[in-house]
Amino acid sequence: MGKRAKGGRDRRRLAPAPLAPSPPPPPGTSSVGFAQWLGHNGIILVLFETPSGFALINYDGVKLFRPKALENIWSEFINMDTAQNDKELERHTWGLKNLIKFLVPDEELELTNEDCLQISQGMKLVLDRYGFEVDASLVNSGIIDMASTVYECDLFEDARVASLQNGSKQLEEVSGIDSKNWDRLKLATALKLICYPNDEIVTGDSEEMLSKSEAEQLVTDAHRYKLKRHDWIYLELYTDFVWAHGVRRRALELLGPMVKEAKEDLKLQQGSMVKEEQQEVKQHP
């Protein structure tokens, strides 16, 4: 027993109570602010359960707080040659499972398809946007790869939207054309035509194309546009959007048959299971 002071009071000093963690910065805080709150320049350790044990993996924790984190995180883990909330942690874990051999090369045990090919909520958002009704029972590696390709094309375009919007304002100011609801490729084509009015373009009625009358008006007004001073920028933007549009269109063309085939395979599997259950009942009435 320890000694007591006069009056029977214990002189032993109690350890101070641990400080409660401070709440995360509010939405809209800069990446630097989130990194300072997380510490270690924003790098966090993720404890990931593998088939044979556990692994600690470094991750940029700031990404968990960026806009559209729910939709963005899953794709990073497909294309790679502590969390803010449970949903984002779930996306993180889904990605780690699909890259376990890359991140933990010494892992010898294999994850089952049930573990690896669960659909991520972020991937489902992308598939839903393009009209593909897919749930976890239909996911395969091909669908994951094509969904990732579509998403990367969207992300590639999103990074260039600001430059298009600057040109869009001039369309309305100079030619009185409201392009707010235009397809991005159509807008990029219009800005490129203004800068290079002698270039021939294909016109048409689809949402990605300029109509003949729109193209003629832009060629007529081309000399009035200030954006011609930066013509090389809009030529590069046009080239980028043509590329992204073509890659995404091809990925979507491949996704359709993949989803259809997955649904047919699932029906066959379900039919086989029903037959097996019926045979089992007959054998053991």
Side-chain angles (χ1 to χ4, degrees):
M1 299 290 291
K3 295 181 179 180
R4 291 181 177 272
K6 294 180 179 180
R9 298 182 64 183
D10 195 339
R11 285 185 173 181
R12 289 178 299 179
R13 303 177 67 180
L14 297 177
L19 296 176
S22 61
T29 300
S30 68
S31 295
V32 173
F34 283 116
Q36 290 175 342
W37 177 74
L38 289 168
H40 304 286
N41 295 318
I43 302 300
I44 63 174
L45 284 176
V46 178
L47 180 62
F48 176 57
E49 184 177 4
T50 72
S52 61
F54 294 89
L56 282 172
I57 298 171
N58 290 333
Y59 185 71
D60 182 359
V62 175
K63 293 181 179 179
L64 299 173
F65 297 88
R66 289 178 178 167
K68 295 185 178 181
L70 182 67
E71 183 175 339
N72 295 343
I73 291 173
W74 72 278
S75 181
E76 293 182 5
F77 289 97
I78 295 174
N79 295 299
M80 185 186 286
D81 287 285
T82 258
Q84 183 182 11
N85 57 53
D86 292 339
K87 288 186 177 180
E88 288 165 12
L89 180 59
E90 183 183 341
R91 307 290 81 73
H92 196 168
T93 304
W94 179 89
L96 290 173
K97 286 181 178 180
N98 280 276
L99 280 182
I100 187 170
K101 285 298 183 183
F102 178 86
L103 297 170
V104 191
D106 294 334
E107 178 60 54
E108 296 180 356
L109 299 179
E110 297 285 346
L111 285 171
T112 65
N113 284 342
E114 184 178 356
D115 287 322
C116 286
L117 297 180
Q118 295 292 328
I119 191 167
S120 152
Q121 185 64 27
M123 182 174 69
K124 182 169 175 54
L125 288 172
V126 174
L127 292 170
D128 288 347
R129 184 186 307 154
Y130 288 96
F132 294 101
E133 296 181 1
V134 178
D135 57 29
S137 63
L138 299 174
V139 173
N140 57 46
S141 59
I143 290 176
I144 291 175
D145 288 342
M146 289 302 102
S148 174
T149 299
V150 170
Y151 169 78
E152 290 296 334
C153 289
D154 290 345
L155 195 64
F156 181 83
E157 289 187 357
D158 289 345
R160 291 155 176 78
V161 166
S163 297
L164 284 182
Q165 290 174 341
N166 290 334
S168 176
K169 294 177 182 178
Q170 292 192 43
L171 281 178
E172 189 164 7
E173 293 171 358
V174 176
S175 299
I177 296 177
D178 183 2
S179 59
K180 292 179 182 177
N181 296 321
W182 278 14
D183 179 85
R184 291 173 177 179
L185 178 57
K186 179 177 180 177
L187 180 55
T189 303
L191 300 178
K192 180 255 187 185
L193 182 61
I194 291 170
C195 296
Y196 299 89
N198 294 325
D199 287 2
E200 293 185 4
I201 65 166
V202 178
T203 58
D205 297 327
S206 70
E207 62 179 14
E208 300 96 352
M209 302 171 71
L210 290 168
S211 67
K212 185 177 179 180
S213 61
E214 290 169 338
E216 290 175 347
Q217 183 176 358
L218 292 175
V219 170
T220 300
D221 296 340
H223 66 283
R224 300 169 54 198
Y225 280 86
K226 294 180 181 179
L227 60 83
K228 285 175 66 67
R229 300 173 185 173
H230 308 287
D231 54 359
W232 62 273
I233 294 178
Y234 292 100
L235 176 60
E236 185 174 318
L237 278 172
Y238 170 75
T239 303
D240 287 345
F241 277 92
V242 169
W243 175 84
H245 182 269
V247 173
R248 180 176 51 233
R249 180 176 59 187
R250 181 56 180 159
L252 291 172
E253 288 174 350
L254 293 173
L255 256 176
M258 285 181 178
V259 172
K260 182 179 179 180
E261 182 178 355
K263 289 181 178 180
E264 291 174 351
D265 289 344
L266 179 61
K267 287 182 180 179
L268 290 174
Q269 292 175 10
Q270 292 173 339
S272 298
M273 292 175 61
V274 170
K275 289 182 179 179
E276 291 177 0
E277 291 175 357
Q278 291 175 343
Q279 292 178 354
E280 184 70 19
V281 171
K282 290 181 180 179
Q283 294 175 359
H284 304 86

